[in-house]
Amino acid sequence: MAKDKKKQPRPKAETPKGFRDYFGADVTERKVMLDRIAEIYHRHGFDPLETSAVETVEALGKFLPDVDRPNAGVFAWQEEAVPGGGSGDWLALRYDLTAPLARVAAQFRNDLPMPYRRFAMGPVWRNEKPGPGRFRQFYQCDADTVGSASVAADAEICAMLANALEAVGIARGDYIVRINNRKVLNGVLETAGVAEDQSDDVLRQIDKFDKVGRDGVSALLTSGRKDESGAFIDGVGLSETQAAPILAFMTAKGDDNAATTENLRVAVGNSEIGTEGVDELTQIAAMLKVMGIDEDRVVIDPSVVRGLGYYTGPVFEAELTFEILDDKGRKRQFGSVAGGGRYDGLVERFTGQKVPATGISIGVDRLLAALRAKGLAGAETSGPVVVTVMDRDRMADYQAMAAELRAAGIRAEVYLGNPKNFGNQLKYADKRGAPVAIIQGADEAVRGVVQVKDLVLGAKIAAEASLDEWKSQPAQTEVPRNGLVAEVRRILG
Amino acid sequence: MAKDKKKQPRPKAETPKGFRDYFGADVTERKVMLDRIAEIYHRHGFDPLETSAVETVEALGKFLPDVDRPNAGVFAWQEEAVPGGGSGDWLALRYDLTAPLARVAAQFRNDLPMPYRRFAMGPVWRNEKPGPGRFRQFYQCDADTVGSASVAADAEICAMLANALEAVGIARGDYIVRINNRKVLNGVLETAGVAEDQSDDVLRQIDKFDKVGRDGVSALLTSGRKDESGAFIDGVGLSETQAAPILAFMTAKGDDNAATTENLRVAVGNSEIGTEGVDELTQIAAMLKVMGIDEDRVVIDPSVVRGLGYYTGPVFEAELTFEILDDKGRKRQFGSVAGGGRYDGLVERFTGQKVPATGISIGVDRLLAALRAKGLAGAETSGPVVVTVMDRDRMADYQAMAAELRAAGIRAEVYLGNPKNFGNQLKYADKRGAPVAIIQGADEAVRGVVQVKDLVLGAKIAAEASLDEWKSQPAQTEVPRNGLVAEVRRILG
C-alpha cells in the first residue's frame, strides 16, 4: 500500500489557482444573508431548486464541435467510454443557475406546476483566468418565473427584489430597483429608422451614456467624436433626426413613473412594439403601486441599459445608492448588486417551444460586501467561551463546565491542546475571539469556586502575562462553582 | 452567432447519469436538518468551513502516476497548459470532506487556532457506477477536531453527535452512539500472539460477527467452517488459545461501561497498547458521565467493528434503533447513520508531521430518510395561498391581495398562467399544495367582497367542477375585501 511512499515528493497544500476557502464568519454571514433572501422568495411562492453541479456539456449549450475540448469558459471532462459503445459524454460544472433551470424546465415540463416559480442558491464555476477578487467558483442567487407571459410576473420579481434587499438589512432609500424595457428601445429604433444590422452598434453607444453623457452619445450615434486622448471615434452614421428619439429614450426619466412613461410614449412614436413596451411599463408601475411598492424603491428608468442586448422585454437592475470608500479611500457609489429581465428562449433549445420566463440574479459576493461595508453582515463576531485546563487530570470537570454552559444556550468549548503552557491557552482564547475564559486550578477546585475572566474588558492584557498578573486583573471574578452560568450570562449581557 | 443552428440536433434535457435534482421540500427538509445540526456543532465551539469544490489531484492524494488520467473514483480534468510552461495541473472534484480538511489544516497551519474544531456540510462527488439510490453527487456533514491528542476531544465529539441526533428530532432511546477503540484490539492481538501480517485477516473475520455470531467467528479464526451453501471456508489458523481473547474482546459488552471496561482489561492481558486503549475508554466514559450523557445515549461497545481497520484510536458509530418497514414491507432496524474515529495521518502527507485528529461524519441522506420514515423531516408540507385570476384586467387587484397576505407573514402568490380556463387554475393550486384559494370575479369586486376557499376542506371537489358547482361548496366563504387576511388566518389556524 505504502510502497514508494518515500520517493514521492510531498504534495503542495494549496487550493487550485482561482479557488478559495471560506472560514467561520465568511460562511455564516453569507448563510444569514441567503437565509433571509430565501425567506422572502419563499413567501412570494417561489420554491427552492437545487440542481446537480454537473451537467452534460450538451445540455449546458457550450458544445463547440470544432475543438477537441469543449471547455471554453467551463470546467469540462469526458466520461469513460462505454464498453462496446461510443465515446463517453462530455460533462461540465454549471457556469450559472439559468442553464440548469432551462434543462429542468424541459426535463420536468410535465410534472412541474406551470407557471413555475423557483429560486436557486449555490456555487457556479467559470474556467476563466483568475484575478484579484475574481474567483473561478462563486455563489449565485437567482429567482425566476417560467411559463408566464404576464408582466405581473415582472412586477412581482421587482417587488420581491426590493423586499429581499430590505430583509437583508439595506434601508429604504439606500437602494433603488430600476426597470426598463427592450421593447421600448426596439420601438424607438423602429421609429428612428435604424436598420436591424445597426442596432447592436447603437446599443454599444447607448452603453457609454454613463461615461460620455447625452452629447457624447449623440455624437457617437451620428458623425463621431474625439475621445479624451484626442483619437477620433467613428460614429454609427445616423442622422440627427434618427438620433433624436434614441436620445429622448435615454433621457426619458421624469419626476415620476407617469411622466416617464409619457416621455417614452412620445419617443416610440407610432411603433407598435414600442407602444407595447410602454404599455407594459405602465402596467408594471400600476401593479407596484397597489402592491405598496413606492417609486423610491422600484422605478421606471430608461437609462438602465445593461442587459438590453440580452433580454427581450422588461429589464431590471438593483443599485445600492449609498457611498462607500474604495481601495484608495475615495468615496464612490456602491453600485449594482442585482440584475435581470425577461427572456423567451429558455427551453427552446431543448423542446423547440418558446416558453416565456423572467428572473433576477443577485450578486451574492457584492451584496455581502455591501452589508459588510455598512456593518450589517449580521453574523456574530464573538467566539465561544473557552474553559481553560489548569489540571490535566480534571479534564472531566472542565468538560462538565462547558456542557453546563451549552445546556444554557451559551457557545462553549474546553481547551484541547497541550495545557502545560497557560499562555498558549490565553493566546488560543484570543485567536478564537472568546468573550470569556473560565479558569479553575487545584486551589479553586478545593474551595469550590471558578475564576470567570471577561476577555473583552481585559483585552489589553498581553498574552504573555503571568498567571499571577492575570489573576490580579479587575476583569476577573471569582464565583462559586454553581454560579458559573449566571456569571457568564452577566458578562455576555 | 446562430449559424448552423438549425442543423444541430436538439440537446437532451437530462441530468448526467447518476446525478439528480432536488425540488422544494427535498431542499427544505435537508436544510432544516443541517441547520439544526450546525447549531449544535456551533454551540460546541466548532466553526464552519467551506472549502472549494475543486482541488488539485495532487492534494486529494489520488494521483496515480501509471495511468493517463488520475480519475479512478474522482471526476478529474487537466488544466490548460501554461504557455511556455509545463503541462497544466490535474484538478478534481472533492470526493469527501476529510481530504480538503487535511489540505486546509496544512495550508493554514500557522493561522488556524490549534486545536482546530471545524464542521463542514456540502456535496461531494464520486466517479462511480451509479445504481438505484446511489448517486455520484451527495451530501456529507462532518465535524472534526484537528491537533488534539486528548480523548476529551473524542468524548466531546460523541456527546455532540448524540445532541445533534436529538436536535434533528430523534428521540432519546431511538438511537445509540457506540464507542470502541482500535488500541484495545491491537492489545488483544498482541496478547493473542497474532502476527502483524495476520491482523488484516483477523479484522475481516471479526467483521462477520453480525452475520455468523460468536461461534462462527471462533471457527473462522481457527480451523475454518462450512458456510450455508456447504462450502468450506478456510480459517485464519489461530489456536483456540489465541482466538479466546479476540472472542472475549468482541463479546466484552457488560451491563454498564464499568463492567465492559473491566472485561476489556482482562481481554488485553498485559499488553501496554491494550491497557492504554482501555484507559482511554474508561476516561471517555467518565467524561461522558459528568457531561450528563447517560449510557442509553453513548456507550462503550466493543462489538463496533466498522472502521477498526482505518482508525488508530477510539472509533464511533451511531445507530438508529427503531424499526422501519423496508421495500418489501418487512420490519428491520434502521441501522447506522454516522461513524467516525481518531486518525493521525491527516496532514502528514503534506508536512511530514503527524497531527492527531478525531471526527465524525453523518450520512445526510440516510439520516434524512430516517426522519422522513418517522414523520420528523420537519419542513412544511403546505404550499402558498393561491390568488386566482377571474378578470385579467384586474391583475393589479390580485397582486395587491397577495402582497397584503405576504405582509401578514402568509406565503401567497397570484396565478400567473393564462387565466382563461378556471379549471387550470384550480389544478395549479392543487399541484402547488395550496391550502387556500382566493377568488374575486367582477360581481364580487363590485360588491367589495372576496371568496376564500378552504382547499383542504374542499379537497374532494374534482378539478373539473364548474364555477357554479365550486361556489356552492361549504368550504368556500364570502368575506368583505378588508377581511381577507383575517379569514385566511382563520383557515390556516
Side-chain angles (χ1 to χ4, degrees):
Chain A
M1 236 176 93
K3 61 180 173 186
D4 290 334
K5 204 177 179 181
K6 278 170 201 157
K7 283 179 194 161
Q8 282 193 24
R10 283 182 195 143
K12 276 186 226 117
E14 279 174 10
T15 35
K17 279 181 209 74
F19 291 89
R20 57 163 294 194
D21 304 306
Y22 296 84
F23 293 88
D26 291 341
V27 178
T28 315
E29 287 174 0
R30 184 176 57 207
K31 183 180 181 321
V32 166
M33 184 182 90
L34 292 180
D35 281 357
R36 287 175 182 165
I37 295 173
E39 160 71 21
I40 295 293
Y41 286 2
H42 180 262
R43 197 183 298 170
H44 283 74
F46 286 68
D47 274 351
L49 169 67
E50 191 178 309
T51 61
S52 60
V54 178
E55 297 277 349
T56 64
V57 166
E58 193 191 356
L60 282 183
K62 284 275 177 178
F63 186 64
L64 307 171
D66 55 321
V67 292
D68 275 353
R69 272 187 89 154
N71 63 353
V74 301
F75 292 105
W77 63 89
Q78 193 169 18
E79 289 258 66
E80 296 290 315
V82 183
S87 54
D89 285 342
W90 277 92
L91 304 184
L93 292 174
R94 65 185 180 208
Y95 58 85
D96 71 6
L97 298 173
T98 307
L101 173 62
R103 193 259 306 151
V104 164
Q107 183 173 355
F108 299 98
R109 61 188 178 281
N110 297 325
D111 307 308
L112 290 172
M114 209 39 84
Y116 176 50
R117 289 176 176 95
R118 85 89 178 80
F119 68 91
M121 299 169 165
V124 301
W125 293 265
R126 301 267 171 96
N127 193 358
E128 291 170 349
K129 210 182 151 195
R134 262 169 64 96
F135 293 97
R136 305 207 284 174
Q137 172 179 334
F138 54 93
Y139 261 70
Q140 289 197 335
C141 167
D142 286 20
D144 294 84
T145 300
V146 179
S148 174
S150 167
V151 288
D154 302 285
E156 177 180 275
I157 290 262
C158 291
M160 184 168 80
L161 178 58
N163 290 335
L165 291 174
E166 293 188 15
V168 301
I170 306 290
R172 207 166 287 188
D174 273 352
Y175 71 91
I176 186 79
V177 179
R178 299 195 172 95
I179 308 180
N180 198 355
N181 195 330
R182 171 70 202 224
K183 289 181 184 171
V184 175
L185 174 62
N186 285 349
V188 166
L189 295 178
E190 193 182 312
T191 290
V194 173
E196 209 161 307
D197 61 3
Q198 278 183 312
S199 67
D200 281 353
D201 251 7
V202 169
L203 265 171
R204 251 191 302 281
Q205 306 312 331
I206 288 180
D207 212 8
K208 296 176 186 159
F209 185 47
D210 281 350
K211 243 193 265 172
V212 303
R214 186 197 176 284
D215 293 346
V217 173
S218 175
L220 288 169
L221 288 174
T222 53
S223 54
R225 71 190 283 270
K226 274 196 185 145
D227 73 7
E228 283 165 12
S229 71
F232 189 80
I233 312 293
D234 283 341
V236 179
L238 303 184
S239 68
E240 296 286 341
T241 323
Q242 285 182 301
I246 300 172
L247 297 169
F249 162 73
M250 289 166 53
T251 57
K253 186 157 187 329
D255 285 342
D256 57 23
N257 285 342
T260 304
T261 48
E262 267 327 294
N263 292 339
L264 288 176
R265 216 170 276 286
V266 174
V268 299
N270 293 322
S271 160
E272 199 173 316
I273 186 77
T275 303
E276 191 180 314
V278 178
D279 286 347
E280 286 180 359
L281 290 177
T282 310
Q283 286 171 53
I284 290 173
M287 285 187 217
L288 290 168
K289 194 168 187 178
V290 298
M291 289 166 87
I293 306 284
D294 294 334
E295 294 184 25
D296 62 341
R297 303 174 65 196
V298 184
V299 70
I300 309 295
D301 186 344
S303 74
V304 171
V305 291
R306 194 166 355 166
L308 278 182
Y310 172 69
Y311 295 110
T312 56
V315 179
F316 332 122
E317 182 157 35
E319 205 173 300
L320 301 188
T321 52
F322 55 79
E323 288 181 331
I324 55 155
L325 297 178
D326 69 10
D327 291 346
K328 291 175 182 162
R330 290 170 306 204
K331 278 188 184 178
R332 61 170 187 82
Q333 287 228 329
F334 194 88
S336 176
V337 290
R342 177 167 283 279
Y343 49 99
D344 292 328
L346 190 70
V347 303
E348 196 181 6
R349 279 182 59 240
F350 294 102
T351 65
Q353 225 175 349
K354 271 197 196 297
V355 173
T358 184
I360 195 86
S361 183
I362 292 180
V364 173
D365 292 322
R366 278 190 64 73
L367 183 55
L368 191 52
L371 295 181
R372 287 192 183 125
K374 293 280 266 186
L376 294 166
E380 57 165 10
T381 52
S382 171
V385 171
V386 170
V387 179
T388 60
V389 175
M390 299 296 288
D391 189 352
R392 194 196 286 262
D393 294 338
R394 288 194 303 106
M395 189 56 102
D397 293 347
Y398 302 124
Q399 289 280 26
M401 294 179 199
E404 261 180 61
L405 289 165
R406 288 177 203 133
I410 298 165
R411 192 182 188 205
E413 57 174 51
V414 174
Y415 178 74
L416 288 181
N418 187 334
K420 225 169 187 177
N421 183 333
F422 193 70
N424 280 347
Q425 299 198 44
L426 299 186
K427 278 182 198 159
Y428 173 85
D430 185 53
K431 212 162 193 175
R432 295 290 286 131
V436 172
I438 311 296
I439 307 161
Q440 192 194 50
D443 67 309
E444 280 104 351
V446 168
R447 290 189 292 119
V449 297
V450 289
Q451 303 285 340
V452 181
K453 175 82 191 160
D454 183 334
L455 295 177
V456 181
L457 237 182
K460 285 166 199 159
I461 301 171
E464 302 83 30
S466 72
L467 186 55
D468 281 351
E469 285 168 329
W470 170 265
K471 279 188 177 172
S472 72
Q473 297 302 322
Q476 190 163 322
T477 321
E478 182 176 299
V479 297
R481 172 64 184 83
N482 64 12
L484 171 65
V485 169
E487 175 63 10
V488 172
R489 272 224 180 95
R490 188 191 65 75
I491 294 174
L492 296 179
Chain B
M1 236 173 91
K3 62 183 173 184
D4 290 333
K5 203 176 180 180
K6 277 171 200 156
K7 282 178 191 162
Q8 282 193 24
R10 282 182 195 144
K12 276 185 226 121
E14 281 174 10
T15 35
K17 279 180 210 77
F19 291 89
R20 58 163 294 192
D21 304 306
Y22 295 84
F23 293 88
D26 291 340
V27 178
T28 315
E29 287 174 359
R30 185 177 56 209
K31 183 179 181 322
V32 167
M33 184 181 89
L34 292 180
D35 281 357
R36 287 175 182 165
I37 294 172
E39 159 71 20
I40 294 294
Y41 286 1
H42 180 262
R43 196 181 300 169
H44 283 72
F46 286 68
D47 273 352
L49 169 67
E50 191 177 308
T51 60
S52 60
V54 178
E55 298 276 350
T56 63
V57 165
E58 193 192 356
L60 282 182
K62 284 275 178 177
F63 185 63
L64 307 171
D66 54 320
V67 294
D68 275 354
R69 274 185 89 155
N71 63 352
V74 300
F75 292 106
W77 63 90
Q78 193 167 19
E79 288 258 67
E80 297 289 317
V82 183
S87 53
D89 285 341
W90 277 92
L91 304 184
L93 292 174
R94 64 183 179 209
Y95 59 85
D96 72 5
L97 299 173
T98 307
L101 172 62
R103 195 259 306 151
V104 164
Q107 183 172 355
F108 300 97
R109 61 187 178 281
N110 297 324
D111 307 308
L112 289 172
M114 207 43 80
Y116 177 48
R117 289 176 176 94
R118 86 90 179 77
F119 68 91
M121 299 169 164
V124 301
W125 294 266
R126 302 267 170 96
N127 192 359
E128 292 169 349
K129 212 182 150 196
R134 261 170 65 97
F135 294 98
R136 304 207 286 173
Q137 172 179 334
F138 55 92
Y139 262 68
Q140 289 196 336
C141 167
D142 286 19
D144 295 82
T145 300
V146 178
S148 175
S150 168
V151 288
D154 302 285
E156 177 181 275
I157 290 262
C158 291
M160 184 169 79
L161 177 59
N163 289 335
L165 291 174
E166 292 187 15
V168 301
I170 307 290
R172 206 166 287 187
D174 273 352
Y175 72 91
I176 186 78
V177 179
R178 297 194 173 96
I179 307 180
N180 199 355
N181 195 331
R182 171 69 201 226
K183 289 181 185 170
V184 176
L185 175 62
N186 285 350
V188 167
L189 295 179
E190 194 181 312
T191 290
V194 173
E196 210 163 304
D197 61 2
Q198 278 183 312
S199 69
D200 281 353
D201 250 11
V202 168
L203 264 172
R204 251 192 301 282
Q205 306 313 330
I206 288 181
D207 212 10
K208 295 176 186 158
F209 184 47
D210 282 349
K211 242 194 265 171
V212 304
R214 186 198 176 285
D215 293 346
V217 173
S218 176
L220 288 169
L221 287 174
T222 53
S223 54
R225 71 188 284 268
K226 275 196 183 142
D227 72 5
E228 283 165 13
S229 71
F232 189 79
I233 312 293
D234 283 340
V236 178
L238 303 185
S239 68
E240 295 288 339
T241 323
Q242 285 183 302
I246 300 172
L247 296 169
F249 163 72
M250 290 167 54
T251 56
K253 187 161 185 327
D255 283 345
D256 57 22
N257 286 343
T260 304
T261 47
E262 267 327 293
N263 292 338
L264 288 176
R265 216 169 275 285
V266 174
V268 298
N270 293 321
S271 163
E272 199 173 317
I273 185 79
T275 304
E276 190 180 315
V278 178
D279 286 347
E280 285 181 0
L281 290 177
T282 309
Q283 286 172 53
I284 290 173
M287 286 187 216
L288 290 168
K289 194 168 186 179
V290 298
M291 291 166 84
I293 307 284
D294 293 335
E295 294 185 24
D296 61 342
R297 302 172 67 195
V298 183
V299 71
I300 309 296
D301 186 345
S303 74
V304 171
V305 290
R306 199 176 340 176
L308 278 182
Y310 172 69
Y311 295 109
T312 55
V315 178
F316 332 122
E317 182 156 37
E319 204 173 301
L320 302 188
T321 51
F322 55 79
E323 287 182 332
I324 55 154
L325 298 179
D326 69 9
D327 291 345
K328 291 175 181 161
R330 291 171 304 203
K331 278 187 185 179
R332 62 170 187 81
Q333 287 227 330
F334 194 88
S336 177
V337 291
R342 178 168 282 278
Y343 49 100
D344 291 326
L346 189 71
V347 303
E348 197 181 4
R349 279 183 59 239
F350 295 102
T351 64
Q353 227 175 349
K354 271 197 195 297
V355 174
T358 185
I360 195 88
S361 183
I362 292 179
V364 173
D365 292 321
R366 277 192 63 73
L367 182 56
L368 191 53
L371 294 181
R372 287 195 182 123
K374 293 280 266 185
L376 294 166
E380 57 166 9
T381 52
S382 172
V385 171
V386 170
V387 179
T388 61
V389 175
M390 300 295 289
D391 189 351
R392 194 195 286 261
D393 294 339
R394 289 192 305 107
M395 189 55 101
D397 294 346
Y398 301 124
Q399 289 279 27
M401 294 178 199
E404 262 180 60
L405 289 165
R406 286 177 206 133
I410 297 165
R411 191 181 189 205
E413 57 173 53
V414 175
Y415 179 74
L416 287 181
N418 186 335
K420 224 169 188 175
N421 182 333
F422 192 71
N424 281 348
Q425 299 198 45
L426 299 187
K427 276 182 197 160
Y428 172 84
D430 185 52
K431 213 163 192 173
R432 295 290 285 131
V436 172
I438 310 296
I439 307 160
Q440 191 195 52
D443 66 310
E444 281 106 349
V446 169
R447 291 190 292 119
V449 298
V450 289
Q451 304 283 341
V452 180
K453 175 81 189 161
D454 183 335
L455 295 177
V456 181
L457 237 181
K460 284 167 199 157
I461 301 169
E464 304 83 32
S466 71
L467 186 54
D468 282 350
E469 287 169 325
W470 170 266
K471 280 189 175 172
S472 70
Q473 296 301 320
Q476 190 162 322
T477 321
E478 183 175 297
V479 296
R481 172 64 183 82
N482 63 14
L484 171 65
V485 169
E487 175 63 11
V488 171
R489 271 224 181 95
R490 188 191 64 76
I491 294 174
L492 296 179

